[in-house]
Amino acid sequence: MKLKYLLDGIERVFKIIDSNENYNIILKKTLIKNNYEDIELMDSMDRKQYVYKYLDKYFKKYIIRKYIITDKCEILFYGETLNNKKELKFLQDKANFYTKGIEISNIGNFKITKTTSLKKDDIEYILKVLNPILNDDRIKTKSHLRQLILFVTSFLNFYFSLSEIKNNIFYMIVANDHSPIPVAFSMVAKELGIERVYLQHAEVSKSFPELDFEYNILRNQLSLDTYAKIGIKAKKKPIVISRYKKDFDIKNLQENLNKIKNSNKIDIVIYPTGTYKQDTIKLLVQMLKKNIAIGNIIIKLHPNGHKVGLENIGVELSQHDVLKHHIAIVGNSSVVIELLHKGIPVVQNFEIDSISEDYYGFVSSKIVKKINISEVYRNFWLNIKYDKEWICNYSYYNPSALKFKKQFNIAQLNRILYDLNGSYSREDYLYDLYLRISPITFLNGIGTFSDLNEFNLIKKFEFMFNQRDPYFNEILEKVDLIKTFSLSLIWLILKKNDWTGYEISSQTENLIIKFLYNYNSQNKLNLKTHCKLIDNLLNYFIRMKKIDKIKTLWSIKTCLKKNNLHINKRIALKKLIEEFHDENLISREDLHHNLSQFHRFKLEIATMNEFEFEINKFSHNMIKDRFVSLAPKSVSEEFKELDSLFYQKLNKSPQYLDIKWNKNQKEDLLIQIINKIKNKVPFSFIRLSDGEGYNFNNKNIFSKNDRSNRERHWWGIEIEDEVANSIKEKNLIAIKNADLIGVPTVYRFIRDHTDKSTSLSQSLTGRGLLEVIWGLIDSDMNHMYTDDKANLALFTNKKDLLNLASFADKVIFIGSASPKIIKNIFKDIKIHIISTKTHYKTTNNVKYVDNKKPLPYEFDNILNEIDYCVNKGDLVIVAAGVVGKMFIGKAKLKGAVALDIGSALDQLVGAGIHSLH
């Protein structure tokens, strides 16, 4: 047994105790439980003798606890507290987002077994190692003794658990650098020669130990400055990275403060620490109640949940975050930074806990104002202000307040993530670094990198796009600044067109064609990339309906084969043949060459028209049966389960599942909607497609990563759990009360699957569809049902939409389309427009509005406006994504007819967003 770093660890633990004279109060319950003598009152000699005897006796009775680690664990984490586990989740979320994920095991999740007592020689050795501390009388308080024992025993437990498997462990991670158990975990890693990662879980002070981990992921610049003063012995430079899902928004904080200042009554929420003084909190509440400007008073309990002595104070106690506007009165807690980030104005009171005044330095740094209990009778919030000087001070605590540093910080984080992952090359890291620090300079200089591999660079772009990394959109925005033509630039231009509706000029189009048609390289991977881009170019020609360009492409010698195209391209080409009556575009033989039975069926269904549907006497039930018989076996079996539990039950209610091809269903449904409008009968139509899986949690098929991906996809940010839960709750009520629901039909599954499909849940969209269907299976199915793409059948024709509008008292449009365009569509109709921020991908599309907050932070205002302006007899047209479902529900409650037109809006306004589907 080696104990080289035992004393080092003890000094790290003791440094915190030495700097806090109230540490015995913090550990009060534990100290009483262990029944230590008052060694603080002893003289030095008596104390040393007592401590030595106590330790000798304790170690003789102690039995080693060993973790039973059965799995292969290359990366181990220790963390038991909620805050520590949040840090682990933060690291894993970042790894899942920026890399392909990292497997990290929390040692606390493994079983522990008692093994053996310490041998006499071991005890003597331990006491010998501890001699310098014992002889110097370093153990002066009960807290010192208790923390020493906890550290040493934890060190022994980890050492005996990990020493035999140390060669299998590459990294060990902690989220605390000063408490006994995580310090023991870290010191054992050091003892065994395993590299360590430190995740800072809260604010730090000068009383913390020096930074000595191999990797250090800190929370802010102030922490880095503080550690620099204490001492940094890290081998690699510590990095600073924000822990927040979204960047700090100063406007949000300023607006909330102004609303509070202009309110007749304001709410106060008290945030005590884990070591609160109950009598002082009671006095604070009494004084606050004397202020006539104060309304509700709430105590937000510390995460440890302690509420002893607080139950009878006469105010609400909450274990959950308080969402409504309020002023926060906070003790000595690092929660100050988090509350400000959320847009909650904060003051601090240092009388309500036992921690040293201004422990974190927030008051001295001018982040918050100090308020004494004797002062709360005044309207103290009127003196709070958040200006440029304030945000400069705050940015030291919250790096997301300085957006210009964000990508540099992410590039530094990725360096660590790539090391932890172990499967990434230096090339991957350098591409990431260049793209995040200066993408335009890098892409303009591609010609100067003789060995640059554009295949891997485009793979990086594809990964960023699939992850819906908001920064990828920032790169797309700057595409016009890149003047050096390359395979990478062409990929970006074509993706921008496909994704955002960006219009490629004829000059740029010709340059792309010339570059690709004359491209030559000796690099096999770059040639592979060239083939991919020829394929992308064909997609572009098809979407833009450039018939002549398609024919020219066929005549050029490329890797593209007309008779070996993906099934979705064949479907799109067949539609073009029918639209332009041009049989020369591609021959029937090429279209059907080597197609499987399932792909022939897919081609038939995707390109049929109303006449073909009617003449063949097709129906949803018949198509279902054919899908089951022709789809890959595993897909077919999964669909059969859905059929028996869901689709077959729909036969009992009115159905409009074939509305895209059955003109009778379309006419009947439009007549029903008209009658509802004419008779002023409330009615709502809500569509549930793959994205709406976000609302359901029944089977958890749609994972947390899927949900985060969709948030970035829709809004360019990930939102807080409490905001997401509020959206889901309101949406589910609207869905429950809907009259007509659009659901994924068999046609959607035919569209989304090929011969190579292995499961209905193999893609993010597939998991979303399944979550929707299982959510409906487990709910009341007493609705009318139609296809989730019924909006395209019903509302892309302006005539049909205007006809509906003509029967309404007025039209209310809720969506992100330009008000000017909407007014032009409904130019002879009385219309009220409620604008929303556009989808993140169309941020720079001139056909849409982008001067609003993301919808998750605006829906309350929109619900209030609906409440104010919608009446019986109105027609409410909504195109607001997943959040829009609640608007439809609210409009129906107000007596209107509310319709979910969704992506039909893109076609109505000519947004230029094209898809092969």
Side-chain angles (χ1 to χ4, degrees), residues 639-671:
F639 185 82
K640 280 196 283 188
E641 181 182 20
L642 296 183
D643 188 27
S644 63
L645 293 172
F646 182 65
Y647 293 112
Q648 289 180 23
K649 292 182 180 179
L650 299 190
N651 294 328
K652 299 173 185 176
S653 59
Q655 277 193 63
Y656 299 92
L657 302 182
D658 299 315
I659 196 165
K660 286 191 287 186
W661 296 282
N662 188 320
K663 61 183 180 182
N664 292 330
Q665 287 186 10
K666 178 181 175 180
E667 289 170 4
D668 181 47
L669 193 49
L670 286 172
I671 289 168

Short mmCIF file of all heavy atoms in Angstrom, two decimals, residues 639-671:
data_model
loop_
_atom_site.label_atom_id
_atom_site.label_comp_id
_atom_site.label_asym_id
_atom_site.label_seq_id
_atom_site.Cartn_x
_atom_site.Cartn_y
_atom_site.Cartn_z
N PHE A 639 -44.57 -2.17 -36.98
CA PHE A 639 -45.75 -1.45 -37.44
C PHE A 639 -47.03 -2.22 -37.13
O PHE A 639 -48.06 -1.61 -36.82
CB PHE A 639 -45.66 -1.17 -38.95
CG PHE A 639 -46.80 -0.32 -39.46
CD1 PHE A 639 -46.76 1.05 -39.32
CD2 PHE A 639 -47.91 -0.90 -40.05
CE1 PHE A 639 -47.81 1.84 -39.78
CE2 PHE A 639 -48.96 -0.12 -40.50
CZ PHE A 639 -48.92 1.25 -40.37
N LYS A 640 -46.96 -3.53 -37.21
CA LYS A 640 -48.16 -4.35 -36.90
C LYS A 640 -48.65 -4.10 -35.47
O LYS A 640 -49.84 -4.08 -35.20
CB LYS A 640 -47.87 -5.83 -37.13
CG LYS A 640 -47.93 -6.26 -38.58
CD LYS A 640 -48.02 -7.76 -38.77
CE LYS A 640 -46.70 -8.43 -38.56
NZ LYS A 640 -46.74 -9.87 -38.93
N GLU A 641 -47.69 -3.89 -34.55
CA GLU A 641 -48.08 -3.60 -33.17
C GLU A 641 -48.82 -2.27 -33.10
O GLU A 641 -49.86 -2.15 -32.43
CB GLU A 641 -46.85 -3.57 -32.27
CG GLU A 641 -47.19 -3.31 -30.81
CD GLU A 641 -45.97 -3.23 -29.90
OE1 GLU A 641 -44.85 -3.00 -30.42
OE2 GLU A 641 -46.13 -3.36 -28.68
N LEU A 642 -48.30 -1.26 -33.80
CA LEU A 642 -48.98 0.04 -33.83
C LEU A 642 -50.36 -0.07 -34.47
O LEU A 642 -51.31 0.58 -34.03
CB LEU A 642 -48.14 1.06 -34.61
CG LEU A 642 -46.76 1.44 -34.06
CD1 LEU A 642 -46.14 2.51 -34.94
CD2 LEU A 642 -46.86 1.93 -32.63
N ASP A 643 -50.45 -0.88 -35.49
CA ASP A 643 -51.72 -1.05 -36.19
C ASP A 643 -52.79 -1.58 -35.25
O ASP A 643 -53.90 -1.06 -35.19
CB ASP A 643 -51.52 -1.99 -37.38
CG ASP A 643 -52.75 -2.05 -38.27
OD1 ASP A 643 -53.51 -1.06 -38.31
OD2 ASP A 643 -52.97 -3.09 -38.92
N SER A 644 -52.44 -2.63 -34.51
CA SER A 644 -53.44 -3.25 -33.63
C SER A 644 -53.83 -2.34 -32.46
O SER A 644 -54.98 -2.34 -32.02
CB SER A 644 -52.90 -4.59 -33.08
OG SER A 644 -51.76 -4.37 -32.28
N LEU A 645 -52.86 -1.55 -31.96
CA LEU A 645 -53.13 -0.72 -30.79
C LEU A 645 -53.67 0.66 -31.14
O LEU A 645 -54.31 1.31 -30.30
CB LEU A 645 -51.85 -0.56 -29.96
CG LEU A 645 -51.32 -1.82 -29.29
CD1 LEU A 645 -49.96 -1.55 -28.67
CD2 LEU A 645 -52.29 -2.31 -28.22
N PHE A 646 -53.41 1.11 -32.38
CA PHE A 646 -53.79 2.48 -32.72
C PHE A 646 -54.66 2.58 -33.96
O PHE A 646 -55.84 2.95 -33.88
CB PHE A 646 -52.52 3.33 -32.89
CG PHE A 646 -52.79 4.77 -33.20
CD1 PHE A 646 -53.42 5.58 -32.27
CD2 PHE A 646 -52.42 5.33 -34.43
CE1 PHE A 646 -53.67 6.92 -32.54
CE2 PHE A 646 -52.67 6.67 -34.71
CZ PHE A 646 -53.29 7.46 -33.77
N TYR A 647 -54.12 2.23 -35.12
CA TYR A 647 -54.84 2.50 -36.38
C TYR A 647 -56.17 1.76 -36.47
O TYR A 647 -57.15 2.32 -36.96
CB TYR A 647 -53.95 2.17 -37.58
CG TYR A 647 -52.76 3.08 -37.70
CD1 TYR A 647 -51.46 2.62 -37.49
CD2 TYR A 647 -52.93 4.44 -38.01
CE1 TYR A 647 -50.37 3.47 -37.59
CE2 TYR A 647 -51.84 5.28 -38.11
CZ TYR A 647 -50.55 4.79 -37.90
OH TYR A 647 -49.48 5.63 -37.98
N GLN A 648 -56.21 0.51 -36.01
CA GLN A 648 -57.47 -0.24 -36.10
C GLN A 648 -58.55 0.39 -35.23
O GLN A 648 -59.74 0.30 -35.54
CB GLN A 648 -57.23 -1.69 -35.71
CG GLN A 648 -56.42 -2.46 -36.76
CD GLN A 648 -56.20 -3.91 -36.37
OE1 GLN A 648 -56.95 -4.48 -35.59
NE2 GLN A 648 -55.16 -4.50 -36.94
N LYS A 649 -58.15 1.05 -34.12
CA LYS A 649 -59.13 1.70 -33.25
C LYS A 649 -59.69 2.97 -33.89
O LYS A 649 -60.76 3.42 -33.52
CB LYS A 649 -58.49 2.02 -31.90
CG LYS A 649 -58.17 0.77 -31.08
CD LYS A 649 -57.58 1.13 -29.72
CE LYS A 649 -57.26 -0.13 -28.92
NZ LYS A 649 -56.66 0.19 -27.60
N LEU A 650 -58.93 3.54 -34.84
CA LEU A 650 -59.41 4.76 -35.49
C LEU A 650 -60.61 4.50 -36.38
O LEU A 650 -61.34 5.43 -36.73
CB LEU A 650 -58.28 5.39 -36.32
CG LEU A 650 -57.01 5.82 -35.58
CD1 LEU A 650 -56.12 6.63 -36.51
CD2 LEU A 650 -57.34 6.63 -34.35
N ASN A 651 -60.80 3.24 -36.76
CA ASN A 651 -61.94 2.90 -37.63
C ASN A 651 -63.27 3.20 -36.97
O ASN A 651 -64.29 3.31 -37.63
CB ASN A 651 -61.88 1.42 -38.02
CG ASN A 651 -60.67 1.12 -38.89
OD1 ASN A 651 -60.23 1.97 -39.66
ND2 ASN A 651 -60.13 -0.08 -38.76
N LYS A 652 -63.24 3.36 -35.63
CA LYS A 652 -64.50 3.59 -34.91
C LYS A 652 -64.92 5.06 -34.94
O LYS A 652 -66.03 5.40 -34.56
CB LYS A 652 -64.33 3.15 -33.45
CG LYS A 652 -64.01 1.66 -33.29
CD LYS A 652 -63.69 1.33 -31.84
CE LYS A 652 -63.26 -0.13 -31.70
NZ LYS A 652 -62.85 -0.47 -30.31
N SER A 653 -64.02 5.94 -35.37
CA SER A 653 -64.33 7.37 -35.40
C SER A 653 -64.20 7.89 -36.83
O SER A 653 -63.60 7.24 -37.68
CB SER A 653 -63.39 8.13 -34.46
OG SER A 653 -62.04 7.91 -34.87
N PRO A 654 -64.77 9.08 -37.11
CA PRO A 654 -64.63 9.65 -38.46
C PRO A 654 -63.16 9.80 -38.84
O PRO A 654 -62.37 10.27 -38.05
CB PRO A 654 -65.31 11.02 -38.34
CG PRO A 654 -66.22 10.90 -37.17
CD PRO A 654 -65.56 9.94 -36.22
N GLN A 655 -62.83 9.39 -40.04
CA GLN A 655 -61.43 9.38 -40.48
C GLN A 655 -61.24 10.23 -41.72
O GLN A 655 -62.09 10.24 -42.60
CB GLN A 655 -61.00 7.95 -40.84
CG GLN A 655 -60.56 7.09 -39.70
CD GLN A 655 -59.87 5.85 -40.24
OE1 GLN A 655 -58.83 5.96 -40.87
NE2 GLN A 655 -60.45 4.70 -40.00
N TYR A 656 -60.09 10.91 -41.75
CA TYR A 656 -59.69 11.65 -42.95
C TYR A 656 -58.22 11.36 -43.23
O TYR A 656 -57.44 12.26 -43.53
CB TYR A 656 -59.94 13.15 -42.74
CG TYR A 656 -61.39 13.48 -42.49
CD1 TYR A 656 -61.89 13.55 -41.19
CD2 TYR A 656 -62.26 13.70 -43.55
CE1 TYR A 656 -63.23 13.83 -40.95
CE2 TYR A 656 -63.60 13.99 -43.33
CZ TYR A 656 -64.08 14.04 -42.02
OH TYR A 656 -65.41 14.31 -41.80
N LEU A 657 -57.86 10.08 -43.10
CA LEU A 657 -56.45 9.70 -43.19
C LEU A 657 -55.93 9.70 -44.63
O LEU A 657 -54.72 9.73 -44.85
CB LEU A 657 -56.24 8.31 -42.57
CG LEU A 657 -56.67 8.17 -41.09
CD1 LEU A 657 -56.35 6.77 -40.58
CD2 LEU A 657 -55.97 9.21 -40.22
N ASP A 658 -56.84 9.68 -45.60
CA ASP A 658 -56.43 9.67 -47.02
C ASP A 658 -56.63 11.04 -47.66
O ASP A 658 -56.72 11.15 -48.89
CB ASP A 658 -57.25 8.63 -47.79
CG ASP A 658 -57.04 7.23 -47.25
OD1 ASP A 658 -55.88 6.87 -47.01
OD2 ASP A 658 -58.04 6.51 -47.05
N ILE A 659 -56.65 12.08 -46.89
CA ILE A 659 -57.09 13.40 -47.36
C ILE A 659 -56.20 13.95 -48.48
O ILE A 659 -56.65 14.75 -49.30
CB ILE A 659 -57.14 14.38 -46.16
CG1 ILE A 659 -57.94 15.62 -46.55
CG2 ILE A 659 -55.73 14.73 -45.67
CD1 ILE A 659 -58.35 16.45 -45.35
N LYS A 660 -54.96 13.52 -48.57
CA LYS A 660 -54.07 14.05 -49.62
C LYS A 660 -54.48 13.57 -51.01
O LYS A 660 -54.15 14.21 -52.01
CB LYS A 660 -52.63 13.63 -49.34
CG LYS A 660 -51.99 14.39 -48.18
CD LYS A 660 -50.48 14.17 -48.10
CE LYS A 660 -50.15 12.79 -47.57
NZ LYS A 660 -48.70 12.61 -47.35
N TRP A 661 -55.22 12.45 -51.09
CA TRP A 661 -55.60 11.90 -52.38
C TRP A 661 -57.12 11.73 -52.54
O TRP A 661 -57.60 11.64 -53.64
CB TRP A 661 -54.93 10.53 -52.59
CG TRP A 661 -53.45 10.64 -52.64
CD1 TRP A 661 -52.68 11.07 -53.69
CD2 TRP A 661 -52.54 10.36 -51.59
NE1 TRP A 661 -51.36 11.07 -53.37
CE2 TRP A 661 -51.23 10.64 -52.08
CE3 TRP A 661 -52.66 9.90 -50.27
CZ2 TRP A 661 -50.08 10.45 -51.30
CZ3 TRP A 661 -51.54 9.73 -49.50
CH2 TRP A 661 -50.26 10.01 -50.01
N ASN A 662 -57.83 11.70 -51.44
CA ASN A 662 -59.28 11.46 -51.50
C ASN A 662 -60.00 12.81 -51.47
O ASN A 662 -60.14 13.44 -50.43
CB ASN A 662 -59.69 10.60 -50.29
CG ASN A 662 -61.13 10.14 -50.39
OD1 ASN A 662 -62.00 10.91 -50.81
ND2 ASN A 662 -61.39 8.90 -49.99
N LYS A 663 -60.46 13.24 -52.64
CA LYS A 663 -61.06 14.58 -52.73
C LYS A 663 -62.36 14.68 -51.94
O LYS A 663 -62.72 15.76 -51.47
CB LYS A 663 -61.29 14.96 -54.20
CG LYS A 663 -62.22 14.06 -54.98
CD LYS A 663 -62.29 14.53 -56.43
CE LYS A 663 -63.23 13.63 -57.24
NZ LYS A 663 -63.27 14.04 -58.67
N ASN A 664 -63.06 13.54 -51.77
CA ASN A 664 -64.29 13.56 -50.98
C ASN A 664 -64.00 13.88 -49.51
O ASN A 664 -64.73 14.64 -48.87
CB ASN A 664 -65.02 12.21 -51.08
CG ASN A 664 -65.55 11.96 -52.47
OD1 ASN A 664 -65.90 12.91 -53.19
ND2 ASN A 664 -65.61 10.70 -52.88
N GLN A 665 -62.91 13.26 -48.99
CA GLN A 665 -62.54 13.55 -47.61
C GLN A 665 -62.16 15.02 -47.46
O GLN A 665 -62.53 15.68 -46.48
CB GLN A 665 -61.36 12.67 -47.18
CG GLN A 665 -61.73 11.21 -46.95
CD GLN A 665 -60.58 10.39 -46.38
OE1 GLN A 665 -59.56 10.93 -45.98
NE2 GLN A 665 -60.76 9.07 -46.35
N LYS A 666 -61.41 15.56 -48.42
CA LYS A 666 -61.00 16.95 -48.36
C LYS A 666 -62.21 17.88 -48.40
O LYS A 666 -62.33 18.80 -47.57
CB LYS A 666 -60.06 17.26 -49.53
CG LYS A 666 -59.62 18.72 -49.59
CD LYS A 666 -58.72 19.00 -50.78
CE LYS A 666 -58.39 20.48 -50.88
NZ LYS A 666 -57.52 20.79 -52.03
N GLU A 667 -63.12 17.65 -49.31
CA GLU A 667 -64.30 18.51 -49.44
C GLU A 667 -65.17 18.43 -48.20
O GLU A 667 -65.67 19.45 -47.70
CB GLU A 667 -65.10 18.12 -50.68
CG GLU A 667 -64.40 18.50 -51.99
CD GLU A 667 -65.08 17.90 -53.21
OE1 GLU A 667 -66.14 17.23 -53.04
OE2 GLU A 667 -64.56 18.08 -54.34
N ASP A 668 -65.35 17.21 -47.68
CA ASP A 668 -66.18 17.02 -46.49
C ASP A 668 -65.60 17.77 -45.30
O ASP A 668 -66.32 18.43 -44.54
CB ASP A 668 -66.30 15.52 -46.19
CG ASP A 668 -67.17 15.26 -44.97
OD1 ASP A 668 -68.26 15.84 -44.89
OD2 ASP A 668 -66.76 14.47 -44.08
N LEU A 669 -64.29 17.68 -45.14
CA LEU A 669 -63.65 18.32 -43.98
C LEU A 669 -63.72 19.84 -44.11
O LEU A 669 -63.99 20.55 -43.13
CB LEU A 669 -62.19 17.86 -43.86
CG LEU A 669 -61.48 18.19 -42.55
CD1 LEU A 669 -62.30 17.81 -41.33
CD2 LEU A 669 -60.13 17.49 -42.50
N LEU A 670 -63.49 20.37 -45.32
CA LEU A 670 -63.59 21.82 -45.51
C LEU A 670 -65.00 22.33 -45.23
O LEU A 670 -65.18 23.40 -44.63
CB LEU A 670 -63.16 22.19 -46.93
CG LEU A 670 -61.65 22.14 -47.22
CD1 LEU A 670 -61.38 22.33 -48.71
CD2 LEU A 670 -60.91 23.20 -46.41
N ILE A 671 -66.00 21.55 -45.64
CA ILE A 671 -67.41 21.93 -45.36
C ILE A 671 -67.66 21.96 -43.86
O ILE A 671 -68.31 22.87 -43.34
CB ILE A 671 -68.38 20.97 -46.08
CG1 ILE A 671 -68.34 21.22 -47.60
CG2 ILE A 671 -69.80 21.14 -45.55
CD1 ILE A 671 -69.04 20.15 -48.41
#
